[in-house]
Amino acid sequence: MKEQMIAAAAALVAAWLVGRSIFTHNRVKCPRCGGSKVTRSSLFTARYRACGRCGGAGDVRAVFGSKK
Ligand SMILES: [Zn+2]
């Protein structure tokens, strides 16, 4: 029973975080590429790749950082 209450509380907190992130500061500049949408490979410095953090969107959702 205690575990179920903890799980329910965690779900509520998670839902609250998601809702807050969506309604207040949902989009933030991608911390990895800085909004440039691409990252430069350290091995092949001449090549640019679509940023894996934001999926080439340039910004990410706060808290979870899921693309779009
Ligand atoms: Zn990025």
Side-chain angles (χ1 to χ4, degrees):
M1 290 304 169
K2 193 173 183 181
E3 288 83 357
Q4 288 180 340
M5 290 183 67
I6 294 173
L12 283 172
V13 171
W16 175 72
L17 285 173
V18 171
R20 191 184 66 163
S21 67
I22 290 174
F23 288 112
T24 58
H25 49 279
N26 55 334
R27 308 301 290 180
V28 295
K29 190 179 291 183
C30 177
R32 179 177 289 183
C33 63
S36 62
K37 303 181 183 179
V38 290
T39 53
R40 191 184 298 192
S41 172
S42 58
L43 293 176
F44 306 99
T45 54
R47 292 190 62 183
Y48 287 88
R49 304 166 58 192
C51 178
R53 177 77 164 82
C54 60
D59 52 8
V60 296
R61 249 183 204 154
V63 180
F64 292 103
S66 59
K67 61 178 180 178
K68 294 273 171 148

